[in-house]
């Protein structure tokens, strides 16, 4: 203290704490000259004493004017030191940084001004304090005082200039500081952070791309900011980084993919579009690096296929096709089970387009990795069966194709038909609304005779007789009217002369007995008229109820369809001779009617 007082006149110290700015400024100029003289003779001990005096008696004073004077004095001392200031920075900078959090806005303003002047003198030498300076500037960017904000912006620009030209700046030490602040919501802080990211990314010697995963999520977070300017700045920064990724030979796609997957589900439309666009580029560029993340990526893409925004739907569909075109192998880390799990979950989506694409993925996996898919069959089988009740016919048809593909193996074929009958049993509406579509399509995909034989075998032992009757009636109507089953009808017509036809007739007969009208129409189809006549005559002894009459009416209407044209022709021939079984059948049916 004594050393400092011996070189600084009392008037200078008095004016340095005066309430008038002009007096403080003049005192600072005198102080600058004193320090310059001391530096010229190399008396750094006294210089250190002067700085200590300015710190303890002024910058830490309870009086605001003293603190202002101390800050001006420290800046003046630095200017006086000029090229030798670096060795005193450990004394000069900390009290200035401390003043950034002063309660008095004017003190904070002078702190910005002081550090600005100090930085102009020492330039790159003050980089050792960069993290503390950055932290202070981050807070000041959102300062409640507009003048402080303005001063902080000027200081910020100077610091950026110094950092971009310095070879002492450590990006590794800076990134944790940046990462901690990326999710701050204050718009001024967000602008400050994006500004620094953009500036550092423009420096050729600083590899910001390598650290992109550390702050990518924060940039995406800013895309939904209420400020148009912040959204624009964040978008510009992201666009620049995406371009760099396209041109870079080495990128950490994995860590960023996890972030993009989360952002693709953002409620903000622009964020979703940007995320899905990035995912699209990653799928094209990422290659093997993305294999472990395929399931997560698919989980992000499938919902976007049904997005309300057309741009998102277009990019999502393109990405989906790109992803499906990549033929990855389980040995490379491709997780078939995880992909199936995602597809199964999306089968419950409210959107038809998403459900359809989920089914396409299951179908693709079956074709490429059948053995692996069948290992997870128990996990997806119930969901696939429930999908048969989907309101979309396209979904149901795709589900049936998958079921048919699975059922190529005998044990899975049996399992499919058993589960199908079970579903029809517990959900009558499924049989009523979709029964014909399901059975007809399976007959095309899996061979009609095989399907009908299996169904008949299962229904033969059905304990629920009401269900068995309804199910047989449905199968019988499909058999008699569907174009897909014409070959099966032709085979049954040859029952009396063809062993294969006879075999099929006997197989179906066992379960068709659950419905009198079904058994009659089966006999008519197989041209076993004598037996049909006996069955009809036996019905005379049964109670005639409404259900019976309804089924009889359906049978008579069927007799008038093209399917039984041959039968009506036979009746005409018989009428010219004598009334044999065929004629008796028609007469009996009409009598019942």
């Amino acid at each position: 203290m004594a050393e400092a007082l011996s070189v600084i006149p009392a008037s200078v110290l008095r004016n340095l704490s005066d309430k008038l700015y002009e007096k403080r400024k003049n005192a600072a100029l005198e102080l600058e000259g004193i320090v310059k003289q001391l530096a010229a003779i190399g008396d750094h001990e006294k210089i250190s004493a002067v700085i200590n005096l300015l710190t303890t008696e002024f910058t830490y004073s309870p009086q605001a004017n003293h603190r202002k004077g101390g800050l001006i004095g420290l800046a003046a001392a630095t200017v006086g030191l000029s090229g030798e200031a670096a060795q005193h920075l450990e004394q000069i900078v900390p009290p200035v940084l401390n003043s950034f959090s002063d309660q008095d806005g004017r003190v904070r303003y002078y702190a910005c001004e002081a550090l600005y002047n100090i930085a102009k003198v020492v330039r790159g030498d003050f980089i050792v304090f960069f993290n503390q300076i950055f932290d202070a500037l981050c807070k000041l960017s959102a300062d409640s005082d507009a003048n402080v904000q303005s001063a902080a912006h000027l200081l910020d620009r100077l610091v950026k200039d110094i950092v971009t030209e310095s070879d002492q700046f450590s990006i590794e030490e800076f990134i944790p500081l940046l990462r901690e602040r990326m999710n701050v919501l204050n718009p001024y802080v967000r602008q400050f952070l994006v500004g620094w990211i953009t500036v550092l990314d423009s420096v050729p010697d600083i590899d910001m791309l390598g650290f992109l995963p550390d702050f990518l999520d924060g940039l995406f977070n800013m895309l939904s900011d209420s400020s148009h300017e912040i959204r624009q700045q964040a978008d510009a920064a992201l666009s620049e980084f995406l371009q760099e990724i396209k041109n870079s030979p080495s990128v950490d796609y994995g860590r960023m993919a996890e972030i993009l997957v989360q952002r693709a589900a953002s409620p903000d439309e622009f964020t979703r579009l940007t995320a899905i666009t990035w995912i699209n580029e990653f799928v094209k560029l990422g290659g093997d690096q993305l294999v472990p993340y395929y399931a997560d990526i698919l989980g992000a893409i499938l919902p976007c296929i049904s997005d309300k925004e057309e741009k998102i739907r277009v990019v999502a569909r393109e990405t989906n096709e790109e992803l499906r075109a990549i033929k990855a192998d389980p040995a490379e880390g491709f997780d078939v089970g995880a992909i199936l799990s995602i597809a199964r979950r999306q089968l419950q989506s409210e959107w038809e387009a998403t459900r359809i694409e989920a089914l396409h993925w299951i179908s693709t996996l079956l074709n490429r990795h059948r053995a692996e898919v069948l290992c997870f069959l128990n996990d997806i089988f119930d969901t696939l069966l429930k999908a048969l009740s989907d309101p979309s016919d396209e979904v149901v048809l795709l589900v049936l194709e998958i079921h048919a593909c699975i059922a190529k193996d005998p044990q899975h074929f049996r399992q499919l038909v058993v589960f199908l009958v079970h579903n029809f049993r517990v959900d009558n509406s499924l049989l009523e609304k979709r029964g014909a579509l399901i059975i007809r399509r399976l007959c095309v995909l899996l061979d009609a005779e095989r399907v009908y034989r299996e169904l008949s075998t299962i229904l033969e032992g059905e304990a629920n007789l009401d269900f068995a009757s309804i199910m047989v009636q449905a199968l019988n109507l499909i058999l008699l009217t569907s174009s897909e089953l014409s070959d099966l009808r032709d085979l049954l017509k040859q029952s009396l002369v063809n062993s294969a036809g006879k075999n099929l007739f006997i197989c179906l007969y066992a379960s068709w007995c659950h419905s009198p009208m079904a058994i009659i129409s089966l006999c008519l189809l197989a041209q076993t008229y004598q037996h049909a006549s006996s069955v009809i005559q036996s019905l005379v002894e049964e109670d005639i109820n409404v259900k019976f009459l309804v089924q009889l009416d359906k049978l008579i209407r069927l007799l008038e369809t093209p399917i039984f044209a041959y039968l009506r022709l036979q009746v005409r021939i018989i009428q010219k001779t004598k009334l044999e079984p065929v004629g008796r059948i028609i007469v009996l049916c009409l009598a019942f009617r």
Side-chain angles (χ1 to χ4, degrees):
M1 182 75 72
E3 280 187 297
L5 292 173
S6 69
V7 294
I8 305 175
S11 60
V12 172
L13 295 175
R14 186 170 57 252
N15 288 335
L16 199 61
S17 60
D18 197 277
K19 64 179 181 179
L20 295 176
Y21 171 73
E22 285 301 322
K23 287 188 176 182
R24 293 198 301 270
K25 182 179 179 182
N26 289 333
L29 288 173
E30 288 188 53
L31 185 62
E32 177 187 328
I34 293 169
V35 172
K36 187 179 291 184
Q37 290 175 359
L38 292 173
I41 61 175
D43 196 343
H44 287 280
E45 191 172 329
K46 284 185 179 178
I47 293 173
S48 182
V50 169
I51 295 171
N52 186 55
L53 173 68
L54 292 171
T55 300
T56 57
E57 297 299 315
F58 286 85
T59 59
Y60 291 136
S61 170
Q63 300 297 319
N65 288 330
H66 280 67
R67 298 199 295 276
K68 295 174 191 175
L71 290 167
I72 294 175
L74 288 172
T78 307
V79 174
L81 282 164
S82 188
E84 298 183 56
Q87 59 186 299
H88 293 282
L89 286 180
E90 290 289 345
Q91 271 185 289
I92 295 171
V93 174
V96 178
L97 291 174
N98 181 68
S99 298
F100 282 139
S101 57
D102 197 283
Q103 291 182 344
D104 191 316
R106 294 301 294 167
V107 173
R108 297 196 299 276
Y109 176 86
Y110 281 113
C112 291
E113 186 180 73
L115 191 58
Y116 183 91
N117 290 326
I118 293 167
K120 278 204 304 184
V121 173
V122 299
R123 303 297 292 186
D125 287 329
F126 92 142
I127 290 294
V128 292
F129 298 100
F130 175 77
N131 282 7
Q132 297 98 303
I133 293 170
F134 180 85
D135 184 52
L137 285 172
C138 188
K139 294 172 183 174
L140 291 175
S141 66
D143 198 278
S144 57
D145 189 315
N147 289 326
V148 175
Q149 275 196 29
S150 179
H153 289 160
L154 287 173
L155 173 60
D156 182 51
R157 283 202 289 270
L158 176 60
V159 174
K160 284 174 180 170
D161 288 341
I162 294 170
V163 166
T164 54
E165 67 186 27
S166 172
D167 57 1
Q168 299 176 46
F169 175 74
S170 172
I171 184 67
E172 291 81 6
E173 293 179 11
F174 168 69
I175 288 299
L177 199 65
L178 176 65
R179 185 173 57 236
E180 287 175 15
R181 289 156 179 76
M182 283 305 292
N183 290 319
V184 172
L185 299 178
N186 187 286
Y188 297 108
V189 175
R190 283 185 161 183
Q191 283 185 304
F192 171 79
L193 295 173
V194 175
W196 268 99
I197 289 170
T198 303
V199 166
L200 292 177
D201 187 47
S202 67
V203 181
D205 294 335
I206 297 177
D207 179 25
M208 283 295 280
L209 185 60
F211 294 96
L212 182 57
D214 290 288
F215 56 88
L216 180 65
D217 190 58
L219 281 176
F220 266 93
N221 205 25
M222 294 179 193
L223 291 176
S224 58
D225 195 276
S226 57
S227 165
H228 174 72
E229 186 176 357
I230 292 173
R231 292 198 304 272
Q232 205 170 37
Q233 288 175 348
D235 181 45
L238 285 167
S239 298
E240 182 61 32
F241 278 119
L242 186 57
Q243 191 58 46
E244 290 176 29
I245 287 171
K246 292 178 183 178
N247 299 326
S248 174
S250 177
V251 177
D252 184 0
Y253 290 101
R255 282 180 64 196
M256 289 189 284
E258 294 176 355
I259 296 167
L260 297 174
V261 164
Q262 293 177 351
R263 290 299 172 179
S266 169
D268 178 68
E269 184 180 294
F270 186 54
T271 303
R272 291 199 308 278
L273 176 60
T274 307
I276 205 72
T277 301
W278 274 61
I279 291 173
N280 179 273
E281 293 296 338
F282 275 27
V283 170
K284 293 176 182 176
L285 300 168
D288 296 341
Q289 281 194 51
L290 286 175
V291 171
Y293 302 95
Y294 277 2
D296 292 335
I297 292 172
L298 183 62
I301 292 171
L302 290 179
C304 288
I305 284 174
S306 302
D307 198 278
K308 62 183 179 180
E309 173 56 46
E310 184 181 3
K311 290 180 182 178
I312 296 175
R313 294 197 303 271
V314 169
V315 179
R317 285 190 174 280
E318 180 186 325
T319 309
N320 185 53
E321 294 305 317
E322 290 277 353
L323 191 64
R324 194 156 51 211
I326 299 172
K327 296 182 179 179
D329 193 88
E332 301 169 353
F334 183 74
D335 193 336
V336 173
I339 295 284
L340 281 174
S341 179
I342 292 294
R344 178 178 59 80
R345 191 185 314 150
Q346 294 302 326
L347 271 179
Q348 299 167 23
S349 166
E350 61 179 310
W351 306 109
E352 178 185 3
T354 293
R355 299 197 300 275
I356 287 172
E357 289 308 318
L359 289 167
H360 280 311
W361 268 97
I362 296 175
S363 180
T364 299
L365 291 175
L366 263 172
N367 291 328
R368 292 181 186 171
H369 310 290
R370 181 179 179 83
E372 288 82 0
V373 172
L374 293 181
C375 290
F376 296 99
L377 189 58
N378 290 336
D379 297 335
I380 63 171
F381 203 77
D382 283 347
T383 304
L384 286 171
L385 283 170
K386 289 176 183 175
L388 291 172
S389 303
D390 196 279
S392 164
D393 283 351
E394 187 175 354
V395 169
V396 172
L397 291 173
L398 282 171
V399 171
L400 289 171
E401 287 186 17
I402 291 171
H403 277 303
C405 185
I406 294 171
K408 288 178 182 178
D409 299 328
Q411 71 272 26
H412 294 130
F413 174 77
R414 170 73 181 180
Q415 187 182 13
L416 168 62
V417 180
V418 168
F419 270 100
L420 192 57
V421 171
H422 171 74
N423 274 23
F424 285 146
R425 186 189 301 111
V426 298
D427 184 4
N428 289 331
S429 63
L430 177 62
L431 179 59
E432 182 183 342
K433 296 176 182 177
R434 285 287 166 71
L437 175 66
I438 292 171
I439 298 300
R440 288 166 59 188
R441 190 60 186 161
L442 282 180
C443 285
V444 171
L445 296 169
L446 291 171
D447 178 63
E449 183 178 351
R450 184 186 181 197
V451 171
Y452 262 72
R453 281 180 177 275
E454 194 65 48
L455 284 167
S456 181
T457 301
I458 293 168
L459 290 170
E460 182 181 353
E462 175 61 46
N464 186 336
L465 298 181
D466 287 339
F467 165 72
S469 176
I470 294 170
M471 183 74 191
V472 165
Q473 288 166 26
L475 290 173
N476 184 63
L477 185 62
I478 296 167
L479 172 63
L480 295 176
T481 60
S482 299
S483 59
E484 294 91 342
L485 276 74
S486 60
D487 290 344
L488 202 60
R489 289 195 295 272
D490 290 341
L491 184 59
L492 283 168
K493 287 177 184 177
Q494 301 174 37
S495 297
L496 299 178
V497 295
N498 184 305
S499 58
K502 179 181 179 181
N503 228 338
L504 176 60
F505 174 78
I506 293 171
C507 178
L508 298 184
Y509 189 93
S511 60
W512 258 238
C513 287
H514 285 300
S515 168
M517 297 309 155
I519 199 67
I520 291 170
S521 56
L522 180 65
C523 290
L524 294 178
L525 185 62
Q527 301 186 63
T528 56
Y529 301 132
Q530 190 68 52
H531 188 66
S533 178
S534 300
V535 172
I536 292 174
Q537 288 175 344
S538 70
L539 294 178
V540 177
E541 301 173 2
E542 297 293 324
D543 290 334
I544 306 299
N545 54 31
V546 175
K547 285 185 180 180
F548 180 90
L549 292 174
V550 169
Q551 289 304 311
L552 179 61
D553 184 63
K554 288 181 179 178
L555 173 59
I556 293 169
R557 291 178 187 280
L558 278 172
L559 292 175
E560 296 169 353
T561 63
I563 295 295
F564 286 107
Y566 71 92
L567 179 61
R568 295 195 301 276
L569 180 61
Q570 288 176 340
V571 169
R572 290 198 182 99
I573 294 172
I574 291 169
Q575 283 175 339
K576 293 180 180 179
T577 54
K578 58 182 179 179
L579 201 61
E580 287 298 326
V582 176
R584 288 203 300 274
I585 292 167
I586 301 297
V587 171
L588 286 167
C589 285
L590 292 173
F592 273 116
R593 193 178 191 190

